[in-house]
Amino acid sequence: MSNTDTFPNWENLVKKQLKTEDIYTILKKENLEGIDVKPFYSSVQQPLVNLPKVEESTHLVAKYHESLEDDVFAFLLENNVENLEEKTIFINNKDLAEHISPADNDQYFSLIDVFDEKNGVIDDQLAKELLAKDFKRNICVDISLHQNAGAAIYQQLGIALAKAKELVEVYGQEILNKLIFKIAVGGNYFFETAKLRAFKLVFNQFSKEYGLDEIPYIFAETSLRNKAIVDSENNLIRSTLELASAMIGGADAVYSTNYAVEKSTENSEEISFKQQIVLAYESIINVFEDASNGSYYVEDITQQIAEKSWALFVEIEETGGYLELLKNGVIQKKIYDQAVQEQKWVEEGKIKIIGVNLYPKLDVKKSVAELYNEKEIKAVRWAEMFE
């Protein structure tokens, strides 16, 4: 930074351009995360070392199709496929997981969450069956549901830690390196990059409580929350940005949910996967360990998200733990309050969805009360209000 680019000089220039001394009222940008975003950054308060990831290069995951076998190295598998060799397989079907026995050269990961969110219990039998498997990662802690239900970023991460704590209490601390975290990445580009980085910080801090030094395995998928049935092409652009956010944030695996909401075809499946190919092979952003390290803005919001997430985790633990608060409806209510506020911002146009509440603007057809239930964690797309 040159001498002419000092903070006071910048401030004076902006005051002159805006013709007011009160520039911070004008420049302040509201957000529902409670994160303090400054209009100007000149340094990093707490510089971080590179935040590592488990995988050297981010896995690009495609839903299995036989036509992709020669070109794709990582598949999401829902049904058994014979003779898949030297592939990385992510399984999200519990019946399939129970019957698969990996060979020595196979890499299998379970995307099966053992939490029953409706009844507030862990499926112990399922957990034990999964832990007995020779998988690279045996149990999934799924917080994609919480993102798609409208939880704030710090809520998602606090809940991820609280779910991990419940598993440690039942199965011991050795489970921590058998977990895979499924995280949905939304459209707030820099915040979502910071979310993954912040999760690495808080999970590592959490593991140190047990004398360990663990890095979380992050499976990131594109969000459903900001997608619309109309103008699927807009969804395609949104999910491409979300994939970039996840790769730059240091996800170990990325998966693009189908951009053609409720209109999935083989062609849309293929294009959804090819988004990742373009990003990886043309932009080459899947190989970096921590691409946003040193960014004043990203570093600052990473630290803020980490602090808020840890504080929520501590609050959950001090008031009974995740399962107890789930049974009492406390977790559901926290997410509900956040989601409803977010939906109101959509209705008011503070959150813009092109083709839905902007260019052209659709009429509201469902109320907040019809979309949300304070006793249930369920996925709701913003655009459902207008569809």
Side-chain angles (χ1 to χ4, degrees):
M1 184 178 284
S2 68
N3 290 333
T4 56
D5 288 331
T6 58
F7 183 66
N9 286 345
W10 173 86
E11 230 178 7
N12 289 332
L13 179 64
V14 175
K15 285 176 182 177
K16 186 177 177 182
Q17 288 177 335
L18 295 179
K19 298 182 174 60
T20 177
E21 290 289 311
D22 187 21
I23 62 172
Y24 288 98
T25 302
I26 296 170
L27 295 175
K28 187 172 177 62
K29 188 171 173 62
E30 270 189 297
N31 63 80
L32 287 168
E33 300 289 342
I35 300 297
D36 180 27
V37 177
K38 301 171 189 173
F40 180 88
Y41 292 83
S42 57
S43 64
V44 178
Q45 280 191 322
Q46 297 172 279
L48 297 170
V49 296
N50 261 10
L51 299 177
K53 56 186 184 182
V54 179
E55 299 285 358
E56 189 175 343
S57 295
T58 303
H59 284 304
L60 312 176
V61 185
K63 187 174 279 189
Y64 176 78
H65 193 280
E66 59 184 13
S67 66
L68 298 173
E69 269 194 41
D70 292 337
D71 302 316
V72 174
F73 302 103
F75 283 115
L76 185 70
L77 210 60
E78 293 176 341
N79 302 297
N80 194 29
V81 178
E82 298 294 336
N83 304 318
L84 266 182
E85 293 181 359
E86 297 183 3
K87 302 288 187 188
T88 298
I89 307 295
F90 295 89
I91 303 169
N92 65 351
N93 178 323
K94 68 178 182 180
D95 295 326
L96 176 59
E98 287 169 12
H99 293 104
I100 276 183
S101 297
D104 290 343
N105 58 350
D106 296 334
Q107 277 204 117
Y108 278 83
F109 294 81
S110 166
L111 286 180
I112 298 152
D113 192 306
V114 297
F115 284 81
D116 179 344
E117 305 279 349
K118 287 187 178 176
N119 297 310
V121 295
I122 292 172
D123 186 334
D124 183 56
Q125 183 182 344
L126 177 60
K128 285 175 177 171
E129 285 174 2
L130 291 170
L131 288 168
K133 294 287 181 183
D134 188 20
F135 290 172
K136 291 288 182 181
R137 298 272 165 161
N138 303 66
I139 289 179
C140 178
V141 174
D142 186 356
I143 54 165
S144 65
L145 168 66
H146 303 80
Q147 193 277 341
N148 286 316
I153 285 173
Y154 76 91
Q155 290 176 329
Q156 295 165 46
L157 303 190
I159 285 168
L161 293 180
K163 291 179 78 170
K165 178 72 159 48
E166 296 281 1
L167 290 168
V168 168
E169 287 182 359
V170 179
Y171 305 105
Q173 64 194 49
E174 58 274 12
I175 201 172
L176 288 181
N177 67 2
K178 297 176 182 177
L179 301 179
I180 178 170
F181 291 87
K182 185 180 176 190
I183 298 177
V185 176
N188 195 338
Y189 190 81
F190 293 108
F191 273 43
E192 293 291 337
T193 294
K195 174 170 87 176
L196 300 195
R197 299 182 78 248
F199 187 55
K200 295 185 183 202
L201 289 176
V202 293
F203 183 79
N204 184 252
Q205 183 179 341
F206 171 67
S207 77
K208 284 177 177 172
E209 302 284 320
Y210 300 97
L212 303 171
D213 190 21
E214 293 292 334
I215 304 161
Y217 193 109
I218 297 174
F219 180 99
E221 68 177 24
T222 55
S223 174
L224 290 174
R225 183 101 174 122
N226 59 351
K227 305 303 185 293
I229 291 174
V230 294
D231 299 335
S232 293
E233 294 80 4
N234 290 343
N235 292 340
L236 188 60
I237 296 166
R238 291 177 188 119
S239 55
T240 301
L241 291 167
E242 289 161 8
L243 289 166
S245 228
M247 289 183 189
I248 291 169
D252 296 290
V254 292
Y255 173 69
S256 183
T257 55
N258 201 306
Y259 70 91
V261 177
E262 296 184 14
K263 294 183 272 187
S264 173
T265 63
E266 278 197 15
N267 188 49
S268 67
E269 288 282 359
E270 185 181 347
I271 292 171
S272 292
F273 175 66
K274 283 182 175 174
Q275 293 175 85
Q276 302 171 82
I277 297 292
V278 172
L279 286 168
Y281 292 102
E282 294 190 12
S283 301
I284 323 174
I285 59 174
N286 65 320
V287 299
F288 296 104
E289 193 172 71
D290 189 9
S292 58
N293 184 285
S295 159
Y296 300 161
Y297 175 45
V298 175
E299 291 281 28
D300 185 64
I301 57 178
T302 296
Q303 296 283 359
Q304 288 188 62
I305 290 169
E307 286 166 14
K308 285 174 70 69
S309 304
W310 188 262
L312 177 63
F313 165 60
V314 170
E315 179 193 320
I316 290 171
E317 290 311 301
E318 288 179 347
T319 50
Y322 182 70
L323 291 176
E324 186 63 30
L325 296 190
L326 207 57
K327 286 174 190 168
N328 295 334
V330 175
I331 299 290
Q332 296 91 321
K333 183 66 164 61
K334 282 180 182 291
I335 294 172
Y336 171 83
D337 289 344
Q338 180 75 22
V340 165
Q341 184 60 31
E342 197 176 64
Q343 192 70 50
K344 285 177 181 173
W345 274 34
V346 172
E347 189 176 5
E348 293 165 8
K350 286 183 180 178
I351 294 174
K352 295 175 175 57
I353 317 170
I354 305 300
V356 176
N357 66 357
L358 189 69
Y359 311 132
K361 186 176 178 181
L362 304 178
D363 295 328
V364 172
K365 291 178 183 166
K366 291 178 190 164
S367 67
V368 167
E370 289 174 281
L371 291 169
Y372 296 93
N373 181 345
E374 66 178 43
K375 295 179 181 175
E376 183 185 1
I377 303 172
K378 63 172 183 173
V380 178
R381 292 180 297 104
W382 289 333
E384 287 180 51
M385 174 174 263
F386 305 91
E387 293 170 347

